[in-house]
Amino acid sequence: MANRVRGDIQGLRAVAVLTVIAAHAGIPGLTGGYVGVDVFFVVSGYLISRLLFAEVERTGRLSLAGFWARRARRILPAATLVTVVTLAASLVYLSLVDARQVVTDAGWATAFAANLHFAADGVDYFAQDQGPSPLQHYWSLSVEEQFYLVWPLLLAAVVLTARGERRRTPLPRRDLAVVLAVATVASFTWSVVQTGSDPVAAYFSTLTRAWELGLGALTALVAPRLVRALSPRALALLTGAGLAAIAVACLTFTTATPFPGSAAALPVVGTALVLLAGAGRHEPTPNRWLGLQPLRTVGDWSYSLYLWHWPVLVLAERHLGRSLTGLETASALLATFALAGATYTFVETPFRTGRPARVLTVPRAVALYPACVALVAVACTGSWWWTEWRGGELGHDPAVTVGEYGAPPGADRTVALVRASVLAARDHRPVPSDLTPDVLSLRDSVADVGDCDYTDFPDTRDLCPRGNPDGERTLVVTGDSHARAWIPAFEEIARHDGWKAYYLVKPQCTAARVTVGDLEEGKPWADCDEFHDWVLQQVADLDPDLVVVASSPPVNGVWVDGNHLLEEGAVSRVLTAGYDELFDRLTDLAPHVALIRDVPKSPEDPATCLTTGDPDLGDCLFRPLDRSRTLGAVPVRRARAHGVEVTDPTRWLCWDGSCPIVVGSTITYRDVDHLTTEYAATLAEPLGRDLGLWSR
C-alpha cells in the first residue's frame, strides 16, 4: 500500500480548521463551519487506518503498544500544554466559580471523556446561562481517542482470525471491508435515530460519530485499488464534487440544522471523495491546489490551531461579558495563530521527530499518558486550592442588618432587610464574609424534586407527595424551573400547616397553554405541550384545595401556526391567550388558584459579580431587565381578570427599583433568574401568609 506524503491532505486539514475557526469567530457566511470537525474525523480515520494497514502488510502483525505510543507522542504534549495554560488563564480572566468549573472540565478532557461530560451538561437546563467552557472543544478529541482505543483492537482481531487462511497478503481486505461497512452503516443509522430523539447527546456521542472515522478507514482500505479504474478526469471530478459538498455544508448549515444525523453525510462523504481522488499515482489538479504551501503550513498547524482557538475566543468573551468586536476578534485570531505556530514548532514537532521522540521509545511513550495526567492533576489541584482560598470566608465583614438602616413604618422584617441591603449596596459596603449559600457552591443551589424530575417527561410520570404526605389538604405547584425554585418555601409551608404537596414542574416549559420553542433547536416542543395536558389531568385526579402557578416567560419564543415568534409584542399576545386558557381550566378544577408573579431578572450572573476582582455589594446591585418585567406582567393581568389571587415577590427581592444579590448575608439568586434554595426557604413565612396558608 502506497504511503506517499500527500500535501492535499494537509490542505484538507487547513480547510477543516479554518472553517471551524471562522464559524466560532462569528465570521459571516460560514454558519456551518462546524462541519470542519467532521472533515477532521474522516481525515483522521483515513490516515491512521492507512498506517495501520501498511504495518500489517509489511510485518504481518499489528503492534498495539507501538500504535498507542505514536498516538501519545502526537496528541498528549500539545493537549496537555493547552489544558494547563487554560486552567491558569481561567483563574485570571473568569470568576472563581467559573474557574472552578474549568478544573472539572480539565479532568474530563484529560481522561478523554469530555464528550460524555459536555453531553450531560448540554441537557442540564440549569447550566444553560453559564456560557461555554474554554475546554469544550476537547469533546472531539475524546471521540477520536475512544475510537482509537477500539479500532486497533478490532483490526487486530480480524487479522488474527484470518491468519490461518491462505492469502497473498497478511491484510484481510475483504473481511475488513465487511466489518468496516457494517460498523459504519450501524453508526450512521444510530446517528440519524439519536439526532432525531436526543440531539444534544447525539452531537457529542462517539457512537454517532464513529461512522465518520469508519468511512475514512474504509476509504483508506479501498482507495489503492479503486483509483486504478478511474481516469484522471474522473478523479478531478471526484475532488471537485467533494470540495463542493464541504462548501455547501459550510455555507448553508446553521445551528438549527439537526446534526450530525443525515446532514453530516454531505461533508463526510465529500471529504472521503477528496481523499479517494488523491490516492492514485496521478494527483488531480484540485488536489494539487490543496497542496499549495500556505495551505500545507496551516494544515501542519491545524491540531494546535484547533486546540488554541476555542479557549482564546471563549476566555476573551467571558472576561469582557459580551461578544467581541471585529477588531477584538481579529486580535484573538492573531494570538491563536501565534500560539499555534509556537506550539507546533516547540512542542508538536520535537515530540514527533526530535530528541523527545527518540528518547520516548514505545514503553516510555506509553508512560507519557500517566505523566501528562499527573501534570494536569497538579495544575487542577493548584487551581482548586486557589479558588477555595480566594472564595473562602476571608476577613470579618458582617452581614447587613435592619438595625443599621432602620425599618420603614409598617414594613415586615423581610421587606425591611431587603431595603437595608439595597442601602448597604448603594453605600458600597463589603460583601459579607459568611455567605449563604457558599459562593463556590452557588451553582448547586437547585431545589430537589426527588424521584419526580419532570425534566425527563414523558419518561417520568410518577407522582411524589411531599410536605406532609398524610396531610388532609392538598397543594399543587405547577410551572417551569421558576416554580421549582419555590419548592423550599412550599416545603416549609406544607410541613408547618400539614399540607400534602405535589410539585408538577418542568424546566423551560412555561405554564401558559402555548407551544414554546425547544431550547436547543427552537423547534416546537411537543413534550411541553403534552406536559400541559398531563398536569391538568393530574389536577383533576388529585382534586387539590389549592393550585399555585409560577412561571417565567418562554426562553426560546413561541410557535403559532408554524411560525416561530420571538418579538416581545407577539409573544405577549400569545401568552395572553395561553394564560386565559390555563386559568379557565384551573378555576374549573380547583376551588383556590393563585399565581406567583415571576421574579425580576438580573442582567448579570451573581457568581460573576461576587467572585470577580474585589467586589463590594454595589457591584452586584441590579435593575430588572425590561423584557422580563413586561412579559412577567402578562400572567398577572390575566390572573386578575379571572379572579385568581396574585402574590408579587418583588418586594422580597427589590426596593426602590434596585435588587441586591445579597440580602443580609444570603445570596438571593443562583443565576440570572432562579432563586437559591436557601433564600427561597427564608421566604416561606411571608409567602405562606400572602397565600393565606401560614397559621400562627
Side-chain angles (χ1 to χ4, degrees), residues 122-154:
V123 297
D124 182 3
Y125 173 76
F126 294 99
Q128 295 294 331
D129 288 328
Q130 296 173 23
S133 166
L135 295 175
Q136 184 168 301
H137 62 318
Y138 275 63
W139 74 268
S140 61
L141 191 60
S142 298
V143 167
E144 278 201 28
E145 296 316 304
Q146 288 163 21
F147 180 85
Y148 289 129
L149 183 64
V150 175
W151 169 225
L153 294 172
L154 182 61

Side-chain angles (χ1 to χ4, degrees), residues 157-519:
V158 174
V159 170
L160 285 174
T161 301
R163 178 165 290 176
E165 304 176 18
R166 298 180 64 183
R167 298 175 182 269
R168 294 172 57 189
T169 171
L171 185 68
R173 291 180 177 275
R174 184 175 300 175
D175 296 347
L176 283 172
V178 171
V179 169
L180 280 170
V182 170
T184 298
V185 170
S187 173
F188 176 72
T189 302
W190 177 242
S191 179
V192 173
V193 171
Q194 193 171 38
T195 299
S197 62
D198 192 351
V200 174
Y203 191 87
F204 292 105
S205 172
T206 301
L207 296 178
T208 62
R209 301 283 188 163
W211 74 274
E212 303 177 14
L213 292 122
L215 185 61
L218 194 58
T219 303
L221 184 67
V222 304
R225 297 184 178 182
L226 187 58
V227 294
R228 296 174 191 167
L230 299 175
S231 67
R233 179 178 176 82
L235 295 176
L237 288 174
L238 284 182
T239 299
L243 291 175
I246 296 170
V248 168
C250 290
L251 296 171
T252 63
F253 287 6
T254 68
T255 53
T257 302
F259 204 85
S262 58
L266 188 61
V268 168
V269 173
T271 304
L273 292 178
V274 176
L275 293 170
L276 178 65
R281 294 179 179 177
H282 303 289
E283 189 176 30
T285 299
N287 292 72
R288 288 199 294 270
W289 291 342
L290 284 172
L292 293 175
Q293 191 56 52
L295 285 177
R296 292 184 65 165
T297 299
V298 174
D300 290 341
W301 294 7
S302 59
Y303 178 51
S304 289
L305 281 169
Y306 182 77
L307 288 176
W308 281 115
H309 87 281
W310 185 252
V312 169
L313 289 170
V314 169
L315 288 172
E317 280 203 356
R318 293 185 66 176
H319 176 64
L320 294 173
R322 56 171 173 78
S323 298
L324 301 181
T325 65
L327 181 60
E328 289 166 343
T329 299
S331 300
L333 295 182
L334 284 174
T336 296
F337 273 82
L339 289 167
T343 303
Y344 175 77
T345 302
F346 299 110
V347 179
E348 283 194 70
T349 301
F351 273 93
R352 282 189 301 188
T353 60
R355 177 175 171 76
R358 293 190 293 272
V359 170
L360 290 171
T361 56
V362 170
R364 292 175 180 173
V366 172
L368 187 60
Y369 179 63
C372 289
V373 169
L375 180 59
V376 173
V378 170
C380 286
T381 302
S383 296
W384 192 270
W385 173 85
W386 172 257
T387 58
E388 187 77 35
W389 178 75
R390 287 285 289 119
E393 297 176 2
L394 304 175
H396 304 283
D397 296 311
V400 177
T401 64
V402 175
E404 298 172 87
Y405 293 94
D412 65 30
R413 62 178 180 269
T414 303
V415 173
L417 185 56
V418 171
R419 172 182 176 272
S421 298
V422 169
L423 293 174
R426 289 176 178 175
D427 288 343
H428 293 279
R429 281 267 306 274
V431 176
S433 299
D434 187 6
L435 290 172
T436 304
D438 184 274
V439 69
L440 293 179
S441 60
L442 187 57
R443 305 282 195 218
D444 301 324
S445 187
V446 180
D448 175 40
V449 290
D451 294 331
C452 289
D453 188 348
Y454 302 117
T455 302
D456 300 325
F457 184 91
D459 296 334
T460 300
R461 293 173 178 263
D462 298 332
L463 289 175
C464 302
R466 299 274 293 273
N468 182 351
D470 299 320
E472 296 181 357
R473 293 176 297 174
T474 301
L475 160 72
V476 170
V477 178
T478 187
D480 59 8
S481 58
H482 287 212
R484 176 173 175 169
W486 284 108
I487 288 177
F490 280 108
E491 282 290 274
E492 290 294 324
I493 293 169
R495 284 195 290 264
H496 184 271
D497 275 270
W499 287 76
K500 182 188 298 183
Y502 293 89
Y503 305 120
L504 311 183
V505 297
K506 180 174 176 62
Q508 197 217 333
C509 186
T510 300
R513 301 273 301 177
V514 298
T515 298
V516 300
D518 175 79
L519 189 61

Side-chain angles (χ1 to χ4, degrees), residues 48 51-53 55-56 58-73 145 147-160 163 361-363 365-367:
I48 296 299
L51 291 172
L52 292 174
F53 297 156
E55 181 181 351
V56 173
R58 187 178 64 254
T59 67
R61 57 187 292 275
L62 180 64
S63 171
L64 295 176
F67 170 75
W68 286 322
R70 291 191 298 272
R71 291 298 294 172
R73 289 195 298 264
E145 296 316 304
F147 180 85
Y148 289 129
L149 183 64
V150 175
W151 169 225
L153 294 172
L154 182 61
L155 173 59
V158 174
V159 170
L160 285 174
R163 178 165 290 176
T361 56
V362 170
V366 172

Side-chain angles (χ1 to χ4, degrees), residues 474-479 490 499 511 535-536 539-540 543-550 579-597 635-636 638-647 690-693:
T474 301
L475 160 72
V476 170
V477 178
T478 187
F490 280 108
W499 287 76
V535 166
L536 289 176
V539 171
D543 189 25
D545 300 276
L546 170 64
V547 176
V548 179
V549 177
Y579 275 111
D580 279 338
E581 182 180 350
L582 174 68
F583 292 133
D584 274 340
R585 301 286 295 275
L586 288 179
T587 51
D588 286 342
L589 296 173
H592 186 189
V593 180
L595 169 76
I596 300 178
R597 179 171 181 151
V636 173
R638 304 326 304 155
R640 287 173 177 158
H642 287 265
V644 170
E645 179 183 345
V646 176
T647 288
D690 223 52
L691 293 171
L693 306 180

Side-chain angles (χ1 to χ4, degrees), residues 638-658:
R638 304 326 304 155
R640 287 173 177 158
H642 287 265
V644 170
E645 179 183 345
V646 176
T647 288
D648 188 348
T650 304
R651 64 190 185 279
W652 305 324
L653 295 161
C654 309
W655 178 80
D656 192 30
S658 296

